[in-house]
Structures are given as C-alpha cells and as structure tokens.
Amino acid sequence: MVPIGNTLSHPFAVASTADDNNRNTLRWDLTPDQIKNMTESLVQRIKQVYDGIGSLDVEQVSIENTLKALANAKLEYAAQRHVLDFPQYVSACKEVRSASTEADKKLSDFDVETSMREDVFHRVIALQEKQLDNLTPEAKRFLDRLITLGKRNGLHLSKDIQEVIQTLEFHTHKGKDSSVALKSFYLKGGLADSYLNGLEKTEDRRYKVTLAYPHYYPLMKRCHMAETRRKMETAFHSRCKEVNTVILEQLIELRSKVAQLLGFSTHANCVLEMNMAKNTNNVACFLDEFYVKLKPVGIKERKYILALKKRDCAMRGKAFDGQINAWDLPYYMNQVEQVKFAVDKDKLIEYFSLEVVTEGLLSIYQELLGLTFKRVNSAHVWHDNVSLYSVLDTATGEEIGRFYLDLHPREGKYCHAACFGLQPGCLGPDGKRMLPVAAMVANFTKPTKGWPSLLQHHEVETFFHEFGHVMHELCSRTTFSEFSGTLVETDFVEVPSQMLENWVWEKEPLRRMSRHYKDGSPIPDNLLNKLIASRVANTGLMNLRQVVLSKVDQSLHTRSHADTAEVFAKHCQDILGIPATPGTNMTASFSHLAGGYDGQYYGYLWSEVYSMDLFFSRFKKEGIMNPKVGKEYRRVILEAGGSVDGRDMLKTFLGREPCQDAFFQCKGLAKAEGTLNGHH
C-alpha cells in the first residue's frame, strides 16, 4: 500500500480537528484599496520569512527554522492570496476586478522572485545534507521538491550561467493571436437561421464571418459549399502565420538552449521531469501504442467519410476529387454524427433542467464518496446568485470543507466553466487542519419566467467534470499546502475529473439527473440509448487528431530548431491520412505551444486513457454506485492530493500497473482490429 497523507503524519505537530479559527474566513467584500494594501502586506510578510531563512548560518539550519518555516509561509500565502486574486473572475464591481487583476500580477511577480532565492535554496540544500532520519515520507517529498524546483531554475549553477538562462527566458514570450480577420461569403445551404441572424451583412447581401470560434466551427460543420469551407479553413490555419511562425521557431531554439544549460537533453525532457510520464521515451511509447490500436479505426472512418463525400458530390452535381481535405473533415464528421448517431438535442435538452441536474449530481457525489452536503443559509458570498455548501464526512459528521456554486453568466464574469481552489486543505502550524474551500464557476443559461435553465448534455458533462475538481480540492488531507487538492502532476490533474465524467454516459445516473421540465417524465429509452451510443461517434479520427497534435508538440520540443509548418504537415499526413492545406501553418495559432502546455499536450490523451482504466476496472466491474469503491477512491486518489506520485496512486487503486485497454473497451474497440460496435 502507498502511504496516504493522513492527519497524523505531520513532521512537526500532532493533529486535531480544526476549530473555528481554521474555518472558512474568506471575505468577499474587500474594496480596491483593501485589496491593494493586503497584497502589499502579504508580500512583505512572506518576504520577511524568506529573508530570515536566507540569512541563517548554514551550519544552523534545522527542520524547525527552515523546512517548517517555509511550509508555514507557503501555507499563509496559499490561504490568503485568493481573496485577492479570485475577485477578478467573479466580482460584479469593475474596480474590484481591476484591483484583483493588479494583485494577481503583483503576486505572480513575487512568485517568480521567491522561486529565484538562491540564499534560501542553499539553506535547503544544507538541510538535506544533514541526513535527516525523522522525516515523514511527505516531509521528505516536500524537501526534495524544493530542491528539484531550485535546480530547475538553475540555482545550483554559476552566476554567469544563471544570467544566460534568465536572458534566454526573458525572450520566450508568447505570440499574438488574432481572430478578427473578416471574410465575406454568399452563404447558402446548411446553416441555421439563428447562426445567420447573428452575422453582419454587406451591401451585396454577403455575410461577414470572422475567424472567432463561434463563427468558424458552425460554418465548418454545416456549410454545404466546399469552396467557402476551403477559404475559411485556409484563413483559420494561417492566423498570424508570418509573426507567430518566427516567434515559435525562435522559442523552440531558446527552450532547447535553456534545457541544455540545465542539464537536460531536450526541452521536452526538462518539462516532463515533474510529470507522471517522466521522460520523452515514455510519452513516445504511450502515443505509439495508442496509434497502433487506433489506426484501423481511422482507416474505417476515412472510408466511410469518403463514401459520404462521393454521394454528397453526386447529389450536388459537384466533381468528386477522391480525397478528404482538411476543410472536409469537420463537415463530414458532423454528417457521420447525423447519419449514424442522430441524437435529437432539442428534445434532449428539455429533460436537463439545471435544478434537476444539480440535485441529481449532488446526490450522486454524496452517495459515492460518503459525504453529506448542507447548504449554508444567509452565507457571505460575492453575488446573490451564489450559494455556499458545507461538506461533512457522513460517517464521522466532521466538516471537511466548503464549496461555492456560481452557475449563471453576468457582466464581467469569467466566461468558461472552472473550479477555483480558494483555501488549501492541509495542516496549520498549530497542527490543526485547515478547512479546504473551492468554487465551481460556470455560465449555464439563466432561468426566465416560465422557462427553466436547460442544459445540453455536454454541459451536464462539464458540470460533472468541474465538480470532480471541487471534490479533489475538498477531500484532500495532506500535511503541506504544496500538495493540497489538485496540486498534482500536470498529466494527472485531469484524471480524477475525467474518471467522473463516465457517470453522465450511464443510464442510472442519467435518470437521476433528468426529468422533463414540464411534466417530470423520464427520458424515453430510445433517446437515452441513442445518446449513450453517440459517445463513440468519430472516435478514430478525433483521437488520431489528438495523437497528431501530441506528436507535433513532442517533435518540436525534442530538437534544437524546426520548420514548424513542415513538422505539422508531415504528422498530419502520416497519422491522420489527411494533408494539411498548402500555405497554412496550424502551429502558428496552436496556443498550447506558447501558453504553458509545451511538451505536455499528450496529457489530454494520457489522462483520459488512465481515467478510463480507473472507471472500467473498478467502478464498472464492482458497481458504479458502489460506496465501498467510492470511499476507496476518495481515500487513495482524492485524499492524497499531490503527496504521492500519480502512478503510485493508480497502482494502489487498480492493484496493478495502469494500461490502455479500458479506453478502447469504452470506445467499443475492445480488440485491436477495432470494430465500431459499442459495448455499452
């Protein structure tokens, strides 16, 4: 068994349950001035602690004055920063949002400053050299992590090499993204009135279309005119091509140089050191194994699409060119969904009112994880539409955390769905447990008079997914704030949530989360069966595209320079079997490459594959509402936070090494030959 971080493993103090001082003391009524002053004061206090540690006599370092002092400072910082940086996403007041954005900038700059404290780093090294026998596994992990992070910043290298690294890193800034380029077309055929009515028209009755997602994707999926789609796809994958191609190719060279100065063979290996995958070799093996299993499915799907296209061209009197082009793919994949998996989405939405979904979702989570949620009356919140819940362990009655639900759109609010951790769930300096707090923020349509808030099935899935992150934040019981909640490896962070998405593809939970908003009737069986079957639509091509993007990312970050357009075109042809449009460069607008996912795009597939392993190997086998499996999941995966390696958690829960089989079983591809019949 892997040792799970429990309340008694604190290296410095004996744990007891938290008292009211450690309860939810978060304030959401701060003025812009208060935010500004509190930010400055927080930075000062933490800086003082670092100064104190940095000026210690190297001979005098101890667990108490170095490791404990750092742990306490990190906890104070983590517990107090979110009343300052979270309001930018949710406050109704514009001035508060600006002050919070400003605070976030200051705190982020301060994060960089503290990460570069060479004086503190050398004290931590001195502590490690003392051969400490009495450290718990989690305290040792914390110490090792501090040293690893210091070395990744080059703090162990000579001053002149450090300066070269800092100069190089200063130049690795992001490219530009523009989606405003206008095209105007005569649009006829396939597009919904609701879409066309949202577009501006020109004098000669053309429609103006931008390259923004809400314009681009519906057009690519539905427009019958291949020439219009070709022009759109070419423009879309040429966005900022001139500027960003140069920036990205410079970035690849600079990243490679920094990695080599830090002692890594490639930038990707440097990034992966901190991940579950550990190195590029493991990522390559994972992607290759995945590709081999998917290849036959892709061939089958391409054949089917080609036949659809041939029929379509004959019907429209157009010449058939015998191949699938990049601008054909979204259109015909949408056709496949219509032909093979026709789900009446307009009918389906009537069964998912937000109120019923929320009630069902909360009851499923409570039952599964052995928790009780209680709504807090007249709670202190940032907006009237927000509700606060207290979470109790059903067996002991102990309060283990709190969460906010902020589910409707409003002016100035963050416009996607996300979980925000607001307070870590770890032990305080007094040995008492701090209460973890998180917020689920979403933008589901608002109810109006006589019309409830209705959700599409994919929104129900999003709700389930993000709430899974909330549970991860609240169930974690670590010693250090550094490992609290979702502070796990980047390629593991989505695993717990993606695992829980499976419940919205199963009959029993779907029944619990739905009924018709007018008469309370259940979803008809045929509609439910079609919905569940539609999960395998376009599995081959959609996942092969993810393999392309993952391999492009790995390829660019395992070399010292690259022709990005050529690398993309080669992978597209070899893996997807569809040529990239000449003259385009998709990587120039592939924001993950510049925005923090460099070398890590494989993580989307990686976490989905391993989340399926958890679900199919345990829950599907032993009962998806089996509280024994649910509690074990909570204990092994959620409570551990980042205090244990992701792979070790998976091994403990599965009783073996994780593998890819379950993913293919879920997609109805249990055998490597890949037949497209769903095994649901």
Side-chain angles (χ1 to χ4, degrees):
M1 287 289 284
V2 174
I4 300 302
N6 61 49
T7 45
L8 296 173
S9 67
H10 202 292
F12 322 123
V14 176
S16 67
T17 51
D19 61 18
D20 282 337
N21 297 336
N22 283 22
R23 298 278 152 200
N24 180 14
T25 52
L26 301 171
R27 284 185 55 194
W28 306 115
D29 52 2
L30 300 175
T31 64
D33 279 347
Q34 285 174 310
I35 290 176
K36 184 174 184 283
N37 297 336
M38 284 169 74
T39 303
E40 281 165 10
S41 150
L42 179 61
V43 164
Q44 277 317 110
R45 287 200 307 281
I46 305 302
K47 190 176 178 308
Q48 267 176 344
V49 177
Y50 275 74
D51 290 347
I53 296 167
S55 61
L56 286 170
D57 181 333
V58 176
E59 300 300 310
Q60 299 300 311
V61 296
S62 67
I63 291 178
E64 190 70 30
N65 67 18
T66 305
L67 200 62
K68 182 178 176 182
L70 275 171
N72 292 344
K74 281 175 177 288
L75 169 57
E76 182 184 355
Y77 189 59
Q80 298 191 20
R81 77 177 287 168
H82 299 304
V83 290
L84 308 170
D85 66 11
F86 177 58
Q88 65 181 309
Y89 301 111
V90 294
S91 173
C93 169
K94 193 165 184 250
E95 289 71 25
V96 169
R97 291 199 301 273
S98 311
S100 174
T101 306
E102 207 41 54
D104 193 11
K105 274 203 199 86
K106 274 212 175 89
L107 294 168
S108 299
D109 290 345
F110 181 61
D111 292 341
V112 173
E113 189 188 312
T114 51
S115 73
M116 297 306 288
R117 291 285 301 245
E118 208 179 326
D119 52 353
V120 174
F121 175 72
H122 287 303
R123 304 311 181 271
V124 175
I125 290 275
L127 183 66
Q128 190 192 41
E129 284 165 357
K130 286 196 163 178
Q131 306 287 301
L132 308 161
D133 305 326
N134 55 343
L135 280 185
T136 64
E138 195 181 328
K140 184 180 181 316
R141 185 182 179 85
F142 178 53
L143 181 63
D144 292 348
R145 181 181 166 81
L146 292 172
I147 290 167
T148 303
L149 291 173
K151 286 182 173 169
R152 292 176 66 76
N153 285 322
L155 300 184
H156 60 310
L157 301 171
S158 66
K159 263 276 174 268
D160 43 347
I161 295 182
Q162 277 188 46
E163 275 165 23
V164 174
I165 291 172
Q166 280 173 14
T167 311
L168 289 171
E169 288 190 330
F170 177 74
H171 292 291
T172 60
H173 64 295
K174 284 191 215 175
K176 299 184 179 70
D177 173 32
S178 157
S179 53
V180 293
L182 274 174
K183 294 267 165 198
S184 47
F185 298 111
Y186 294 113
L187 293 176
K188 55 176 193 272
L191 294 158
D193 288 344
S194 58
Y195 175 78
L196 295 173
N197 292 340
L199 300 176
E200 270 184 68
K201 284 190 194 145
T202 59
E203 302 269 308
D204 57 354
R205 306 202 12 232
R206 290 172 181 244
Y207 287 94
K208 288 185 181 177
V209 186
T210 72
L211 299 176
Y213 287 3
H215 281 185
Y216 178 74
Y217 285 110
L219 185 141
M220 292 305 291
K221 282 181 173 180
R222 300 221 166 87
C223 178
H224 296 331
M225 300 160 74
E227 184 53 18
T228 300
R229 294 197 312 269
R230 186 187 68 76
K231 286 179 178 161
M232 275 300 274
E233 190 274 333
T234 305
F236 188 74
H237 287 138
S238 304
R239 284 174 298 159
C240 312
K241 189 180 71 172
E242 275 64 36
V243 180
N244 281 3
T245 301
V246 175
I247 293 175
L248 182 60
E249 291 178 1
Q250 283 173 346
L251 206 51
I252 288 162
E253 288 185 34
L254 291 172
R255 283 171 172 165
S256 172
K257 282 179 185 160
V258 170
Q260 283 171 1
L261 287 172
L262 289 172
F264 292 94
S265 55
T266 63
H267 175 68
N269 269 325
C270 175
V271 170
L272 292 170
E273 180 195 25
M274 301 295 282
N275 281 8
M276 201 176 141
K278 297 288 183 249
N279 57 52
T280 50
N281 189 31
N282 290 338
V283 173
C285 291
F286 171 84
L287 291 171
D288 290 342
E289 182 190 340
F290 193 82
Y291 170 58
V292 166
K293 287 180 179 166
L294 265 188
K295 193 179 175 180
V297 192
I299 291 170
K300 228 177 209 176
E301 288 179 9
R302 278 203 307 272
K303 254 192 190 153
Y304 187 77
I305 280 180
L306 212 50
L308 271 184
K309 179 174 172 176
K310 191 174 182 181
R311 194 183 74 184
D312 195 40
C313 289
M315 262 169 54
R316 297 184 194 287
K318 301 282 185 193
F320 173 57
D321 62 2
Q323 67 168 13
I324 304 169
N325 304 299
W327 59 89
D328 292 326
L329 204 54
Y331 177 72
Y332 289 106
M333 280 167 75
N334 187 52
Q335 300 265 310
V336 170
E337 279 186 41
Q338 302 304 314
V339 175
K340 280 193 165 180
F341 305 99
V343 177
D344 186 343
K345 288 181 178 166
D346 297 336
K347 187 83 198 112
L348 195 60
I349 197 171
E350 296 179 356
Y351 292 90
F352 292 121
S353 75
L354 180 58
E355 202 179 319
V356 172
V357 171
T358 305
E359 182 192 318
L361 175 143
L362 296 180
S363 84
I364 289 168
Y365 271 104
Q366 290 175 88
E367 192 177 314
L368 197 61
L369 300 176
L371 301 171
T372 305
F373 301 158
K374 288 189 171 163
R375 191 165 172 170
V376 178
N377 293 324
S378 53
H380 169 64
V381 291
W382 52 84
H383 192 275
D384 295 346
N385 289 344
V386 179
S387 46
L388 174 66
Y389 289 80
S390 167
V391 179
L392 311 177
D393 179 300
T394 308
T396 64
E398 177 199 359
E399 183 175 26
I400 65 157
R402 291 185 167 198
F403 66 85
Y404 297 93
L405 291 183
D406 183 353
L407 303 179
H408 296 299
R410 58 179 177 271
E411 179 74 26
K413 181 181 157 181
Y414 179 75
C415 52
H416 305 286
C419 162
F420 293 86
L422 300 175
Q423 196 165 274
C426 56
L427 295 187
D430 55 0
K432 293 175 178 176
R433 184 157 292 288
M434 176 168 268
L435 201 67
V437 182
M440 153 103 196
V441 176
N443 288 275
F444 302 132
T445 52
K446 273 178 130 162
T448 52
K449 275 209 172 88
W451 197 254
S453 168
L454 297 175
L455 305 191
Q456 298 274 9
H457 178 259
H458 72 84
E459 293 179 298
V460 177
E461 187 174 47
T462 298
F463 195 171
F464 228 82
H465 176 97
E466 294 305 336
F467 197 78
H469 286 309
V470 172
M471 291 294 95
H472 201 176
E473 290 284 0
L474 267 46
C475 291
S476 88
R477 294 180 76 81
T478 60
T479 303
F480 297 94
S481 63
E482 191 88 350
F483 302 128
S484 178
T486 53
L487 295 176
V488 297
E489 300 103 316
T490 308
D491 53 1
F492 185 73
V493 72
E494 295 299 334
V495 171
S497 278
Q498 283 182 325
M499 202 277 301
L500 289 152
E501 277 177 30
N502 286 288
W503 272 253
V504 309
W505 294 100
E506 296 281 337
K507 271 193 175 170
E508 184 197 341
L510 279 170
R511 289 242 180 270
R512 284 175 68 166
M513 287 188 285
S514 62
R515 54 179 181 268
H516 199 280
Y517 78 95
K518 280 184 182 159
D519 58 14
S521 58
I523 302 183
D525 260 349
N526 64 338
L527 193 55
L528 204 51
N529 292 336
K530 274 189 168 164
L531 170 67
I532 291 169
S534 74
R535 193 177 193 186
V536 302
N538 296 312
T539 286
L541 293 172
M542 278 188 340
N543 286 297
L544 284 171
R545 181 171 160 74
Q546 291 293 75
V547 174
V548 170
L549 297 178
S550 304
K551 279 190 166 272
V552 165
D553 174 33
Q554 288 295 304
S555 172
L556 297 178
H557 289 115
T558 47
R559 49 179 82 191
S560 53
H561 49 84
D563 176 335
T564 51
E566 189 190 324
V567 168
F568 179 74
K570 183 183 180 324
H571 284 87
C572 225
Q573 186 63 62
D574 293 355
I575 293 166
L576 204 54
I578 291 162
T581 306
T584 63
N585 183 7
M586 178 273 173
T587 63
S589 54
F590 184 11
S591 57
H592 292 76
L593 296 180
Y597 260 79
D598 39 305
Q600 305 189 81
Y601 193 86
Y602 75 90
Y604 287 107
L605 277 178
W606 177 277
S607 57
E608 194 181 349
V609 163
Y610 293 135
S611 71
M612 290 294 184
D613 199 7
L614 291 176
F615 178 71
F616 277 84
S617 309
R618 294 294 314 270
F619 287 97
K620 193 76 174 148
K621 264 202 184 110
E622 298 170 52
I624 60 168
M625 292 307 299
N626 183 331
K628 181 184 137 310
V629 186
K631 285 205 190 70
E632 192 182 335
Y633 179 72
R634 178 180 147 194
R635 185 174 58 78
V636 174
I637 307 282
L638 303 182
E639 286 188 1
S643 66
V644 177
D645 281 355
R647 182 171 287 279
D648 291 337
M649 288 186 234
L650 291 180
K651 267 171 33 187
T652 302
F653 188 71
L654 294 166
R656 57 162 170 75
E657 286 285 347
C659 70
Q660 296 189 3
D661 302 352
F663 178 87
F664 294 97
Q665 180 194 342
C666 155
K667 300 297 185 188
L669 316 170
K671 299 181 182 64
E673 308 87 82
T675 50
L676 264 180
N677 45 359
H679 295 306
H680 284 282

